[in-house]
Amino acid sequence: MPKAKPSVAARFNQNIKTVQPTGIREFDAQCSAIPDIIKLTIGEPDFNVPDAMKQAAIDAINNNDSHYAPAVGSEKMRLAASHFLKDRYGLDYDPDSEIAITIGASEGIFTALGGYTNPGDVVLIPTPTFPMYMAITQFFGGQAVELDTSADDFILTPAKLQAALDQYGDRVKALVLNYPSNPTGVSYSAEQIKALADVLKGTDVLVIADEIYSELVYDGKHTSIAKYIPEQTIVLNGVSKSSAMTGYRIGVLAGPAQLVKPVFLAHSLDVTAAADPSMAAAAAGMDTPAGREATAKMRDEYKRRRDFLAPALQKLGFGLTKPVGAFYIFAKIPANQNQDDVAFATALAKEAHVATTPGSFFGAGGKGYLRISYAASMANIKESVQRITAFLQK
Ligand SMILES: Cc1ncc(COP(=O)(O)O)c(C=O)c1O
Protein backbone atom coordinates (compact mmCIF):
# COMPACT_ATOMS: atom_id res chain seq x y z
CA MET A 1 0.00 0.00 0.00
CA PRO A 2 1.42 3.41 -0.87
CA LYS A 3 1.89 5.61 2.21
CA ALA A 4 -0.95 8.12 2.66
CA LYS A 5 0.15 11.66 1.93
CA PRO A 6 -0.05 14.00 4.93
CA SER A 7 -2.86 16.52 4.64
CA VAL A 8 -2.03 20.03 3.49
CA ALA A 9 -2.84 21.30 6.99
CA ALA A 10 -0.26 18.95 8.49
CA ARG A 11 2.39 20.72 6.45
CA PHE A 12 1.55 24.23 7.70
CA ASN A 13 4.14 26.14 9.67
CA GLN A 14 3.72 24.72 13.19
CA ASN A 15 3.57 28.18 14.74
CA ILE A 16 0.70 29.28 12.51
CA LYS A 17 -1.32 26.40 13.91
CA THR A 18 -0.99 27.79 17.44
CA VAL A 19 -2.39 31.20 16.49
CA GLN A 20 -5.95 31.41 17.69
CA PRO A 21 -8.41 33.61 15.78
CA THR A 22 -9.76 36.27 18.15
CA GLY A 23 -13.37 36.14 17.07
CA ILE A 24 -13.45 39.91 16.49
CA ARG A 25 -13.90 39.76 12.74
CA GLU A 26 -16.36 36.88 12.86
CA PHE A 27 -18.46 38.65 15.49
CA ASP A 28 -18.36 41.87 13.48
CA ALA A 29 -19.44 39.99 10.34
CA GLN A 30 -22.40 38.44 12.19
CA CYS A 31 -23.46 41.86 13.43
CA SER A 32 -23.08 43.41 9.98
CA ALA A 33 -25.72 41.04 8.65
CA ILE A 34 -28.34 42.52 11.00
CA PRO A 35 -30.47 45.12 9.18
CA ASP A 36 -30.38 48.66 10.60
CA ILE A 37 -27.45 47.80 12.88
CA ILE A 38 -25.37 50.65 14.29
CA LYS A 39 -21.78 49.51 14.47
CA LEU A 40 -19.73 50.66 17.41
CA THR A 41 -17.27 47.90 16.66
CA ILE A 42 -15.12 49.83 14.25
CA GLY A 43 -11.41 50.29 14.96
CA GLU A 44 -10.79 52.93 12.36
CA PRO A 45 -11.62 56.60 11.88
CA ASP A 46 -14.98 57.35 10.27
CA PHE A 47 -13.50 60.45 8.58
CA ASN A 48 -12.32 60.70 4.99
CA VAL A 49 -8.69 61.44 4.26
CA PRO A 50 -8.22 65.22 4.47
CA ASP A 51 -7.97 66.95 1.07
CA ALA A 52 -4.38 68.14 1.47
CA MET A 53 -3.22 64.55 1.96
CA LYS A 54 -5.23 63.32 -1.01
CA GLN A 55 -3.67 66.04 -3.14
CA ALA A 56 -0.17 65.05 -2.05
CA ALA A 57 -0.84 61.47 -3.22
CA ILE A 58 -2.29 62.70 -6.53
CA ASP A 59 0.72 64.96 -7.08
CA ALA A 60 3.07 62.06 -6.38
CA ILE A 61 1.29 59.93 -8.96
CA ASN A 62 1.37 62.75 -11.52
CA ASN A 63 5.08 63.25 -10.81
CA ASN A 64 5.67 59.59 -11.60
CA ASP A 65 6.78 58.78 -8.08
CA SER A 66 6.13 55.21 -8.97
CA HIS A 67 9.41 53.43 -8.44
CA TYR A 68 10.90 51.43 -5.59
CA ALA A 69 11.63 53.73 -2.69
CA PRO A 70 14.62 52.97 -0.45
CA ALA A 71 13.76 50.03 1.83
CA VAL A 72 13.51 52.36 4.84
CA GLY A 73 11.17 54.70 2.97
CA SER A 74 11.41 57.95 1.00
CA GLU A 75 13.68 60.63 2.37
CA LYS A 76 10.76 63.08 2.53
CA MET A 77 8.66 60.75 4.65
CA ARG A 78 11.53 59.88 6.99
CA LEU A 79 12.21 63.58 7.47
CA ALA A 80 8.52 64.20 8.13
CA ALA A 81 8.47 61.39 10.69
CA SER A 82 11.60 62.70 12.34
CA HIS A 83 10.13 66.23 12.62
CA PHE A 84 6.85 64.83 13.91
CA LEU A 85 8.47 62.75 16.64
CA LYS A 86 10.64 65.69 17.68
CA ASP A 87 7.98 68.44 17.61
CA ARG A 88 5.20 66.44 19.19
CA TYR A 89 7.06 64.20 21.65
CA GLY A 90 10.57 65.60 22.01
CA LEU A 91 12.17 62.47 20.53
CA ASP A 92 15.40 62.62 18.51
CA TYR A 93 15.78 60.17 15.65
CA ASP A 94 18.15 60.46 12.73
CA PRO A 95 16.06 60.14 9.55
CA ASP A 96 19.00 58.47 7.78
CA SER A 97 19.67 55.63 10.20
CA GLU A 98 16.97 55.42 12.86
CA ILE A 99 13.62 55.61 11.06
CA ALA A 100 11.89 53.17 8.72
CA ILE A 101 8.55 53.67 7.03
CA THR A 102 6.41 50.56 7.39
CA ILE A 103 3.18 49.26 5.89
CA GLY A 104 1.05 50.62 8.70
CA ALA A 105 1.94 50.20 12.35
CA SER A 106 0.91 46.57 11.84
CA GLU A 107 3.99 45.79 9.81
CA GLY A 108 6.07 47.63 12.40
CA ILE A 109 4.74 45.28 15.09
CA PHE A 110 5.43 42.26 12.91
CA THR A 111 8.96 43.22 11.96
CA ALA A 112 9.92 44.45 15.43
CA LEU A 113 8.81 41.16 16.95
CA GLY A 114 10.28 39.26 13.99
CA GLY A 115 13.66 40.94 14.38
CA TYR A 116 13.94 39.88 18.01
CA THR A 117 11.81 36.86 18.87
CA ASN A 118 13.51 33.48 19.10
CA PRO A 119 11.52 30.30 19.81
CA GLY A 120 10.75 30.16 23.52
CA ASP A 121 11.33 33.86 24.18
CA VAL A 122 8.80 35.50 26.45
CA VAL A 123 7.03 38.64 25.29
CA LEU A 124 5.14 40.46 28.03
CA ILE A 125 1.83 41.93 26.95
CA PRO A 126 -0.40 43.93 29.28
CA THR A 127 -4.03 42.99 28.67
CA PRO A 128 -6.78 43.59 27.64
CA THR A 129 -5.00 44.42 24.40
CA PHE A 130 -4.98 44.59 20.62
CA PRO A 131 -4.77 40.83 19.98
CA MET A 132 -2.26 41.04 17.14
CA TYR A 133 0.70 41.19 19.56
CA MET A 134 -0.14 37.76 20.96
CA ALA A 135 -0.69 36.18 17.55
CA ILE A 136 2.53 37.60 16.05
CA THR A 137 4.58 36.51 19.07
CA GLN A 138 3.21 32.99 18.63
CA PHE A 139 3.88 33.14 14.90
CA PHE A 140 7.57 33.59 15.65
CA GLY A 141 7.54 30.80 18.21
CA GLY A 142 7.62 33.06 21.24
CA GLN A 143 5.49 32.80 24.35
CA ALA A 144 3.03 35.64 24.77
CA VAL A 145 2.58 36.23 28.50
CA GLU A 146 -0.53 38.22 29.30
CA LEU A 147 -0.31 40.61 32.24
CA ASP A 148 -3.88 41.26 33.34
CA THR A 149 -4.25 44.95 34.24
CA SER A 150 -7.98 44.93 34.96
CA ALA A 151 -7.50 45.25 38.73
CA ASP A 152 -5.36 48.37 38.24
CA ASP A 153 -7.56 50.51 36.00
CA PHE A 154 -5.90 48.92 32.95
CA ILE A 155 -2.50 50.33 33.82
CA LEU A 156 0.53 48.04 34.11
CA THR A 157 2.01 48.78 37.51
CA PRO A 158 5.77 48.74 38.16
CA ALA A 159 5.20 45.99 40.74
CA LYS A 160 3.40 43.74 38.25
CA LEU A 161 6.12 44.34 35.66
CA GLN A 162 8.85 43.58 38.18
CA ALA A 163 7.07 40.39 39.24
CA ALA A 164 6.93 39.21 35.62
CA LEU A 165 10.63 40.00 35.12
CA ASP A 166 11.44 38.04 38.29
CA GLN A 167 9.26 35.12 37.22
CA TYR A 168 10.53 34.75 33.66
CA GLY A 169 14.08 36.05 34.12
CA ASP A 170 16.34 35.89 31.08
CA ARG A 171 13.59 34.49 28.92
CA VAL A 172 11.93 37.91 28.69
CA LYS A 173 12.82 39.41 25.34
CA ALA A 174 10.35 42.25 25.10
CA LEU A 175 7.49 44.19 26.60
CA VAL A 176 4.81 45.47 24.25
CA LEU A 177 3.23 48.66 25.48
CA ASN A 178 0.28 50.20 23.67
CA TYR A 179 -1.04 53.53 24.87
CA PRO A 180 -3.43 55.19 24.47
CA SER A 181 -4.83 51.70 24.48
CA ASN A 182 -6.92 49.72 22.12
CA PRO A 183 -9.30 48.48 23.58
CA THR A 184 -9.46 50.40 26.86
CA GLY A 185 -8.90 54.04 25.82
CA VAL A 186 -6.74 54.33 28.92
CA SER A 187 -3.30 55.91 28.73
CA TYR A 188 -0.25 56.43 30.96
CA SER A 189 0.75 59.72 32.56
CA ALA A 190 4.38 60.83 32.34
CA GLU A 191 4.88 59.67 35.95
CA GLN A 192 3.37 56.25 35.29
CA ILE A 193 5.45 55.70 32.19
CA LYS A 194 8.62 56.86 33.91
CA ALA A 195 7.95 54.41 36.74
CA LEU A 196 7.83 51.54 34.22
CA ALA A 197 10.96 52.85 32.51
CA ASP A 198 12.74 52.84 35.87
CA VAL A 199 11.98 49.13 36.27
CA LEU A 200 13.23 48.34 32.77
CA LYS A 201 16.31 50.56 32.74
CA GLY A 202 19.49 48.52 32.84
CA THR A 203 17.75 45.29 31.82
CA ASP A 204 18.03 43.71 28.37
CA VAL A 205 14.30 43.94 27.83
CA LEU A 206 13.27 45.58 24.57
CA VAL A 207 10.22 47.84 24.68
CA ILE A 208 8.00 47.85 21.61
CA ALA A 209 5.94 50.98 22.17
CA ASP A 210 2.88 51.05 19.94
CA GLU A 211 1.94 54.72 20.17
CA ILE A 212 -0.28 54.76 17.08
CA TYR A 213 -3.02 56.62 19.01
CA SER A 214 -0.66 59.22 20.51
CA GLU A 215 -2.29 62.10 18.61
CA LEU A 216 -5.70 61.13 19.94
CA VAL A 217 -5.36 62.08 23.59
CA TYR A 218 -8.17 64.20 25.07
CA ASP A 219 -6.99 64.80 28.62
CA GLY A 220 -3.36 65.46 29.43
CA LYS A 221 -0.40 64.96 27.15
CA HIS A 222 1.13 61.89 25.58
CA THR A 223 4.62 61.02 26.81
CA SER A 224 6.58 58.41 24.89
CA ILE A 225 8.49 55.86 26.95
CA ALA A 226 11.35 56.53 24.51
CA LYS A 227 11.88 59.80 26.38
CA TYR A 228 13.12 57.81 29.36
CA ILE A 229 14.71 54.67 27.91
CA PRO A 230 15.44 55.44 24.23
CA GLU A 231 18.33 52.98 24.14
CA GLN A 232 15.99 50.01 24.55
CA THR A 233 12.81 51.27 22.88
CA ILE A 234 11.38 50.86 19.41
CA VAL A 235 8.60 53.39 18.85
CA LEU A 236 5.75 52.69 16.47
CA ASN A 237 3.52 55.43 15.17
CA GLY A 238 1.79 56.34 11.94
CA VAL A 239 -1.03 58.13 10.18
CA SER A 240 -3.78 55.49 10.19
CA LYS A 241 -5.53 56.91 13.21
CA SER A 242 -4.27 60.50 13.37
CA SER A 243 -4.92 61.35 9.71
CA ALA A 244 -7.70 58.80 9.03
CA MET A 245 -5.41 57.11 6.51
CA THR A 246 -5.90 53.43 7.36
CA GLY A 247 -6.10 52.44 3.69
CA TYR A 248 -2.87 54.21 2.75
CA ARG A 249 -0.97 51.72 4.92
CA ILE A 250 1.84 53.89 6.24
CA GLY A 251 3.49 53.54 9.64
CA VAL A 252 6.65 54.77 11.30
CA LEU A 253 9.20 52.69 13.19
CA ALA A 254 11.99 54.45 15.08
CA GLY A 255 14.79 53.40 17.38
CA PRO A 256 18.53 53.68 17.92
CA ALA A 257 20.49 52.52 14.84
CA GLN A 258 22.01 49.49 16.54
CA LEU A 259 18.67 48.35 17.99
CA VAL A 260 16.67 48.60 14.77
CA LYS A 261 19.24 46.80 12.60
CA PRO A 262 17.54 43.36 12.58
CA VAL A 263 14.16 45.03 12.32
CA PHE A 264 15.07 47.03 9.23
CA LEU A 265 16.38 43.84 7.67
CA ALA A 266 13.16 41.97 8.47
CA HIS A 267 11.20 44.90 7.03
CA SER A 268 13.13 44.91 3.75
CA LEU A 269 12.79 41.13 3.40
CA ASP A 270 9.09 41.38 4.09
CA VAL A 271 7.92 44.31 1.99
CA THR A 272 10.89 45.81 0.07
CA ALA A 273 9.51 49.33 0.66
CA ALA A 274 6.32 51.28 1.28
CA ALA A 275 4.39 52.82 -1.64
CA ASP A 276 5.54 56.22 -2.86
CA PRO A 277 2.16 57.98 -3.26
CA SER A 278 1.09 56.80 0.19
CA MET A 279 4.31 58.11 1.71
CA ALA A 280 3.81 61.49 0.01
CA ALA A 281 0.32 61.72 1.52
CA ALA A 282 1.51 60.58 4.95
CA ALA A 283 4.32 63.14 4.95
CA ALA A 284 1.72 65.84 4.32
CA GLY A 285 -0.36 64.45 7.17
CA MET A 286 2.48 64.38 9.68
CA ASP A 287 4.51 67.41 8.82
CA THR A 288 2.49 70.23 7.23
CA PRO A 289 0.27 72.84 8.90
CA ALA A 290 -2.73 71.49 6.95
CA GLY A 291 -2.03 67.94 8.10
CA ARG A 292 -1.65 68.84 11.74
CA GLU A 293 -4.74 71.07 11.62
CA ALA A 294 -6.77 68.20 10.18
CA THR A 295 -5.62 65.94 13.02
CA ALA A 296 -6.54 68.58 15.61
CA LYS A 297 -10.04 68.92 14.12
CA MET A 298 -10.65 65.17 14.21
CA ARG A 299 -9.30 65.03 17.76
CA ASP A 300 -11.78 67.72 18.82
CA GLU A 301 -14.63 65.77 17.26
CA TYR A 302 -13.64 62.50 18.97
CA LYS A 303 -13.43 64.36 22.27
CA ARG A 304 -16.92 65.76 21.76
CA ARG A 305 -18.23 62.23 21.18
CA ARG A 306 -16.35 60.81 24.16
CA ASP A 307 -17.71 63.59 26.35
CA PHE A 308 -21.24 62.64 25.32
CA LEU A 309 -20.94 58.86 25.33
CA ALA A 310 -18.92 58.20 28.50
CA PRO A 311 -21.31 59.89 30.95
CA ALA A 312 -24.33 58.50 29.08
CA LEU A 313 -23.02 54.94 29.54
CA GLN A 314 -22.18 55.61 33.15
CA LYS A 315 -25.74 56.82 33.75
CA LEU A 316 -26.97 53.52 32.36
CA GLY A 317 -24.95 51.58 34.92
CA PHE A 318 -21.88 50.68 32.88
CA GLY A 319 -18.62 50.83 34.80
CA LEU A 320 -15.99 53.02 33.16
CA THR A 321 -12.30 53.59 33.64
CA LYS A 322 -11.94 57.09 32.28
CA PRO A 323 -11.07 56.81 28.61
CA VAL A 324 -8.53 59.53 27.86
CA GLY A 325 -7.51 58.60 24.33
CA ALA A 326 -7.93 56.55 21.15
CA PHE A 327 -11.62 56.17 20.28
CA TYR A 328 -12.71 53.37 22.56
CA ILE A 329 -14.57 53.01 25.81
CA PHE A 330 -14.10 49.74 27.67
CA ALA A 331 -17.33 49.48 29.59
CA LYS A 332 -18.10 47.00 32.38
CA ILE A 333 -21.52 45.49 31.77
CA PRO A 334 -24.03 46.75 34.41
CA ALA A 335 -24.10 44.47 37.45
CA ASN A 336 -27.77 43.54 37.01
CA GLN A 337 -27.19 42.24 33.46
CA ASN A 338 -25.75 39.04 31.99
CA GLN A 339 -22.01 39.23 32.68
CA ASP A 340 -21.15 36.90 29.82
CA ASP A 341 -19.83 39.56 27.44
CA VAL A 342 -20.29 37.47 24.27
CA ALA A 343 -23.89 36.65 25.21
CA PHE A 344 -24.60 40.25 26.23
CA ALA A 345 -23.06 41.74 23.06
CA THR A 346 -24.94 39.18 20.93
CA ALA A 347 -28.27 40.07 22.55
CA LEU A 348 -27.53 43.78 22.25
CA ALA A 349 -26.80 43.35 18.55
CA LYS A 350 -29.79 41.11 17.81
CA GLU A 351 -32.39 42.86 19.95
CA ALA A 352 -31.27 46.50 20.07
CA HIS A 353 -29.33 46.57 16.79
CA VAL A 354 -26.24 48.05 18.40
CA ALA A 355 -22.98 46.24 17.70
CA THR A 356 -20.14 46.36 20.21
CA THR A 357 -17.18 44.03 20.68
CA PRO A 358 -17.06 41.54 23.56
CA GLY A 359 -14.24 42.42 25.97
CA SER A 360 -13.03 38.84 26.33
CA PHE A 361 -11.73 38.97 22.74
CA PHE A 362 -8.95 41.24 24.01
CA GLY A 363 -7.27 38.81 26.38
CA ALA A 364 -7.07 38.33 30.13
CA GLY A 365 -9.08 40.85 32.14
CA GLY A 366 -11.61 41.59 29.41
CA LYS A 367 -14.40 39.27 30.55
CA GLY A 368 -17.58 41.13 31.47
CA TYR A 369 -16.68 44.20 29.39
CA LEU A 370 -17.61 45.62 25.99
CA ARG A 371 -15.35 47.63 23.74
CA ILE A 372 -17.42 50.49 22.40
CA SER A 373 -15.90 52.48 19.56
CA TYR A 374 -16.88 56.10 19.08
CA ALA A 375 -15.39 56.27 15.62
CA ALA A 376 -19.01 56.68 14.54
CA SER A 377 -21.14 59.74 13.78
CA MET A 378 -22.61 61.69 16.67
CA ALA A 379 -26.11 60.93 15.31
CA ASN A 380 -25.40 57.19 15.45
CA ILE A 381 -23.85 57.46 18.90
CA LYS A 382 -26.94 59.28 20.20
CA GLU A 383 -29.27 56.76 18.60
CA SER A 384 -27.22 53.91 20.11
CA VAL A 385 -27.61 55.34 23.59
CA GLN A 386 -31.38 55.41 23.11
CA ARG A 387 -31.41 51.83 21.87
CA ILE A 388 -29.18 50.61 24.71
CA THR A 389 -31.40 52.42 27.21
CA ALA A 390 -34.50 50.65 25.88
CA PHE A 391 -32.65 47.30 25.83
CA LEU A 392 -31.61 47.58 29.48
CA GLN A 393 -35.14 48.52 30.54
CA LYS A 394 -36.62 45.32 29.07
C1 LIG B 1 -3.09 49.38 18.88
C2 LIG B 1 -3.06 49.29 17.42
N1 LIG B 1 -1.86 49.15 16.81
C3 LIG B 1 -1.78 49.06 15.47
C4 LIG B 1 -2.91 49.10 14.68
C5 LIG B 1 -2.76 48.98 13.20
O1 LIG B 1 -2.42 50.20 12.64
P1 LIG B 1 -2.12 50.33 11.09
O2 LIG B 1 -3.44 50.48 10.39
O3 LIG B 1 -1.27 51.58 10.98
O4 LIG B 1 -1.41 49.13 10.65
C6 LIG B 1 -4.17 49.22 15.27
C7 LIG B 1 -5.38 49.24 14.44
O5 LIG B 1 -6.48 49.04 14.88
C8 LIG B 1 -4.24 49.34 16.67
O6 LIG B 1 -5.42 49.47 17.29
Side-chain angles (χ1 to χ4, degrees):
M1 281 268 287
K3 226 171 110 195
K5 269 178 102 174
S7 69
V8 173
R11 288 185 275 137
F12 287 178
N13 175 326
Q14 292 300 310
N15 296 336
I16 277 277
K17 289 192 203 167
T18 66
V19 174
Q20 298 296 323
T22 63
I24 294 177
R25 277 178 188 272
E26 198 186 323
F27 188 81
D28 186 55
Q30 279 168 20
C31 292
S32 301
I34 297 171
D36 185 35
I37 190 96
I38 296 180
K39 287 184 30 166
L40 304 182
T41 45
I42 310 289
E44 68 170 323
D46 58 314
F47 298 105
N48 290 325
V49 174
D51 285 343
M53 279 100 262
K54 283 185 191 165
Q55 193 56 52
I58 292 165
D59 291 346
I61 291 168
N62 287 333
N63 287 338
N64 296 312
D65 286 346
S66 54
H67 300 277
Y68 289 126
V72 288
S74 68
E75 188 182 4
K76 188 169 181 184
M77 180 58 208
R78 281 180 284 121
L79 267 173
S82 164
H83 292 159
F84 167 82
L85 292 169
K86 175 73 180 168
D87 296 349
R88 298 290 298 147
Y89 306 112
L91 305 177
D92 287 295
Y93 291 107
D94 174 9
D96 290 331
S97 60
E98 299 185 317
I99 291 180
I101 307 308
T102 55
I103 312 299
S106 309
E107 195 244 325
I109 299 164
F110 193 84
T111 45
L113 284 167
Y116 275 90
T117 311
N118 288 315
D121 281 351
V122 163
V123 175
L124 302 175
I125 304 171
T127 60
T129 189
F130 184 50
M132 216 169 166
Y133 311 126
M134 265 96 84
I136 295 173
T137 299
Q138 288 158 0
F139 178 79
F140 288 113
Q143 181 185 348
V145 170
E146 300 184 28
L147 304 178
D148 180 352
T149 62
S150 58
D152 301 303
D153 291 338
F154 303 117
I155 291 290
L156 176 65
T157 62
K160 187 159 264 181
L161 175 59
Q162 186 62 60
L165 296 181
D166 293 344
Q167 183 178 348
Y168 294 99
D170 289 347
R171 287 184 59 211
V172 180
K173 181 58 71 72
L175 165 72
V176 178
L177 263 189
N178 163 232
Y179 66 100
S181 155
N182 173 10
T184 67
V186 164
S187 202
Y188 288 77
S189 67
E191 293 73 33
Q192 286 168 326
I193 213 68
K194 180 171 183 306
L196 290 182
D198 287 345
V199 172
L200 294 162
K201 203 171 177 62
T203 69
D204 288 334
V205 176
L206 168 72
V207 181
I208 299 173
D210 181 349
E211 302 183 15
I212 186 78
Y213 292 100
S214 65
E215 288 291 288
L216 302 181
V217 173
Y218 315 113
D219 308 306
K221 207 176 148 284
H222 180 81
T223 305
S224 175
I225 191 161
K227 252 198 106 95
Y228 301 112
I229 43 170
E231 64 286 353
Q232 64 197 94
T233 302
I234 291 176
V235 178
L236 305 176
N237 214 306
V239 287
S240 297
K241 315 294 176 174
S242 53
S243 302
M245 289 173 61
T246 47
Y248 283 59
R249 309 306 305 128
I250 295 296
V252 169
L253 184 149
Q258 206 46 33
L259 198 68
V260 293
K261 231 178 170 173
V263 180
F264 283 12
L265 180 59
H267 161 78
S268 69
L269 293 174
D270 190 18
V271 301
T272 304
D276 260 337
S278 286
M279 285 194 280
M286 274 195 157
D287 194 29
T288 63
R292 297 211 184 161
E293 213 173 281
T295 299
K297 261 197 175 148
M298 289 188 267
R299 179 168 52 232
D300 289 348
E301 176 57 20
Y302 290 130
K303 179 177 187 306
R304 199 169 76 88
R305 298 171 186 179
R306 192 262 335 236
D307 289 347
F308 170 80
L309 185 58
L313 290 170
Q314 233 159 356
K315 238 171 98 185
L316 290 173
F318 287 92
L320 258 55
T321 302
K322 193 162 190 237
V324 300
F327 32 64
Y328 309 106
I329 292 175
F330 208 58
K332 180 90 183 65
I333 296 168
N336 61 351
Q337 300 287 324
N338 185 351
Q339 294 298 299
D340 178 330
D341 49 286
V342 177
F344 184 89
T346 303
L348 190 65
K350 285 191 174 153
E351 294 170 33
H353 296 192
V354 176
T356 57
T357 309
S360 55
F361 290 174
F362 301 97
K367 277 202 172 89
Y369 289 83
L370 301 177
R371 186 189 76 173
I372 302 176
S373 164
Y374 49 93
S377 71
M378 194 63 161
N380 274 352
I381 291 171
K382 286 187 169 166
E383 173 64 21
S384 302
V385 169
Q386 288 192 357
R387 292 184 186 186
I388 297 170
T389 307
F391 174 79
L392 293 176
Q393 282 166 355
K394 265 200 214 156

